[in-house]
Amino acid sequence: MIGIRSEDQIQKMRDAGVLLHAVLEHLKQMIQPGITTRELDQAAERMIRDAGAIPSFLGYNGFSASICASPDDQVVHGIPNDDPLEEGHLISVDCGVILHGWQSDSAFTAPIGQAPTKVLDLIRVTEESFWLGAKQAREGNRLGDISNAVQRHAESHGYGVIRDLCGHGIGQQMHEDPSIPNYGPAGRGVRLRAGMTLAIEPMIAMGTWRVFQMNDGWTVVTQDHGWCSHYEHTILVTDGDPEILSMPGANPWGEAQ
Ligand code: MG
Ligand code: MG
């Protein structure tokens, strides 16, 4: 069952998205060599609570933090710790908030200090894959149109598209129907309708898409230890381009593209 949101519900998800965007922008500014992911986590929790919202990850199936922080070959679900971030590496940060009962979920990957071109390319192509997929999220299209657009762009650059983890519907719960794979044929799957709210989240690897889970029960790592990038927004399906709820005012398909 995929929810169709009322205008009042959409406004609440917009409000959650405004907050989450501000949190992630703040974390981006903090990222530099030497900072720890625990410091990022603490800053995120403080900002979320100060706004009267709830960090949705904290306590989710027992998760111990408000952000997932996944460096290098960690795809997602990395647990914040006291290791200083290292120049030239990358870090993926994922966060979610609940405000007035409604959820937002968003993630980005950033280089740490000066990173090599191959790291910047991976991050850029992952973001491009998201925008190409999200552009397909419009009334009348099918779910597979999103998946296929992500896969084609990432694979055209020789990257692996992670298959074990997917995007998802989002509303009062963080993970709702439908599941949104980042691969698969176009023209298949659920027909999209205006008012659906989706978290689209390509996870792209330099090498293989095959992954395993570490003994901590959370962290997902690539089998070949190739580095990964993750980019996610919560979006609203409309009869035109989607509204990017977790990036207020986004105009990604405007003149710049
Ligand atoms: Mg997320
Ligand atoms: Mg998500």
Side-chain angles (χ1 to χ4, degrees):
M1 175 69 189
I2 303 172
I4 301 294
R5 312 301 173 203
S6 68
E7 191 48 48
D8 177 60
Q9 293 167 342
I10 291 166
Q11 188 54 51
K12 288 187 170 131
M13 290 188 70
R14 265 187 205 116
D15 293 343
V18 167
L19 170 61
L20 181 54
H21 183 251
V23 170
L24 291 182
E25 286 300 305
H26 181 65
L27 299 186
K28 268 183 205 168
Q29 301 303 318
M30 291 176 68
I31 289 172
Q32 59 176 312
I35 196 166
T36 69
T37 50
R38 195 179 312 282
E39 290 173 272
L40 299 177
D41 178 55
Q42 289 167 346
E45 181 175 2
R46 196 176 319 120
M47 258 184 99
I48 293 166
R49 294 208 188 278
D50 284 352
I54 298 166
S56 57
F57 291 11
L58 187 61
Y60 184 88
N61 290 336
F63 194 74
S64 59
S66 299
I67 65 169
C68 295
S70 312
D72 302 345
D73 61 347
Q74 297 184 9
V75 183
V76 286
H77 303 167
I79 302 169
N81 61 29
D82 295 315
D83 298 338
L85 295 182
E86 293 180 59
E87 176 100 29
H89 290 239
L90 63 76
I91 181 78
S92 298
V93 177
D94 194 351
C95 188
V97 306
I98 309 169
L99 183 61
H100 302 129
W102 290 82
Q103 303 249 357
S104 198
D105 185 8
S106 181
F108 68 88
T109 298
I112 300 158
Q114 298 292 320
T117 305
K118 69 174 195 172
V119 169
L120 303 180
D121 285 346
L122 175 72
I123 293 170
R124 175 180 52 79
V125 170
T126 303
E127 294 186 8
E128 289 169 355
S129 299
F130 167 85
W131 293 111
L132 288 165
K135 191 165 176 61
Q136 296 298 319
R138 63 178 59 213
E139 174 145 290
N141 279 7
R142 291 192 185 266
L143 200 64
D145 298 334
I146 302 172
S147 310
N148 187 256
V150 170
Q151 180 182 21
R152 273 192 298 137
H153 189 63
E155 290 185 350
S156 76
H157 289 267
Y159 296 136
V161 176
I162 305 301
R163 299 181 176 223
D164 293 30
L165 298 128
C166 298
H168 48 91
I170 180 169
Q172 286 180 291
Q173 303 298 320
M174 179 159 52
H175 296 126
E176 300 188 358
D177 287 340
S179 180
I180 309 173
N182 292 304
Y183 66 96
R188 304 274 182 84
V190 170
R191 198 172 286 284
L192 302 173
R193 291 179 55 196
M196 290 179 176
T197 43
L198 309 174
I200 299 172
E201 49 180 317
M203 289 155 263
I204 308 297
M206 282 190 185
T208 183
W209 54 266
R210 295 182 189 279
V211 298
F212 69 97
Q213 191 172 57
M214 284 171 57
N215 290 335
D216 62 17
W218 283 103
T219 312
V220 176
V221 182
T222 53
Q223 279 189 7
D224 64 359
H225 298 288
W227 289 11
C228 283
S229 180
H230 182 202
Y231 193 67
E232 176 182 28
H233 281 295
T234 296
I235 66 115
L236 169 70
V237 178
T238 75
D239 59 5
D241 288 336
E243 180 177 338
I244 312 299
L245 297 171
S246 54
M247 190 175 178
N251 180 25
W253 303 289
E255 285 179 16
Q257 299 227 339

